[in-house]
Amino acid sequence: MKRQNQSSVVEFILLGFSNYPELQGQLFGVFLVIYLATFTGNVIIIVVISLEQSLHVPLYLFLLNLSVLEVSYTAAIVPEMLVTLSTERATITFAGCYSQMYCILFFGGTECFLLGAMAYDRYSAICHPLNYPVIMNKSVFKKLLIFSWVSWIVVATVQTTWVFSFPFCGPNEIDHISCETPAVLELACADTYFFEIYAFTGTILIVLVPFLLILLSYVRILFAILKIPSNTGRQKAFSTCASHLTSVTLFYGTAIMTYLQPKSGYSPDTKKLMSLSYSLLTPLLNPLIYSLRNSEMKRAFLKLWRRKVNLHTF
Ligand SMILES: *[C@@H]1O[C@H](CO)[C@@H](O)[C@H](O)[C@H]1NC(C)=O
């Protein structure tokens, strides 16, 4: 409790959208519906893939991990956001803010790497179908998963501890929807120059590079798709590709704009909108475009559904 002696701030206040008091009710309703839809969609995916043995191949096991991530990631952000929207002055303790920042970095970052691993998986399957079983063998698959999860434990620990080692001497109002790094950094009363340099290089290395690799693999996939002889097959593959690209671009684009320069000149409203894009919108879109459009997932879902109905009528 040395920190409390050093600095006068012991808790933060999350402002959320308190500058739009007339919208708070509507926003609460919309975010609640989005959260419940995201939760339900991802839990369905987790249950279907876990129960259906035929889906235990890299593509679906990646999707299973992605859904576990989305559930955890949104659980770290949205309930707190709903509290902020429904109370006059939503306070959050140092420890609460620390854990929220940690979870956002850990789950959000792991998602960055996982989406990269999934793009690599699709690229190998579509562009090198004959070598695919060798390229994506069990050991490579496991290594990709472990790397995605473990590297972000280190990043999240370093970054969160660094931000919270700065003194906070007031004001304690976070003008944002969650305890994200840039918003909390605004309140630090110390020179944050080295942290900003770290954030800049870190974001390029661990967010921008995976994003560029994903774009590159989709370009290669698009070229492979153009060679498909049948028109309908080409169209379907193309629309799948386009929807993946949209979600990936929304997620990485807004995250890069936010984290590349934590003290950038965007207005608080712009920062909140960008944050909503990767905290709320892409977790809602991902189950829809990666799994629920997928015909094998649909078949597995119907199969489980029928089995359940049979059990009930029995
Ligand atoms: C990710 O997927 C692998 C699949 O083999 C599984 O063993 C692991 O438990 C999953 N991780 C999470 C957190 O769901």
Side-chain angles (χ1 to χ4, degrees), residues 61 64-65 68 141 145 149:
L61 293 175
L64 171 67
N65 271 248
V68 171
F141 168 71
L145 271 187
W149 284 93

Side-chain angles (χ1 to χ4, degrees), residues 29-44:
V30 173
F31 293 170
L32 181 65
V33 170
I34 293 181
Y35 181 58
L36 292 178
T38 306
F39 185 82
T40 316
N42 282 300
V43 167
I44 290 176

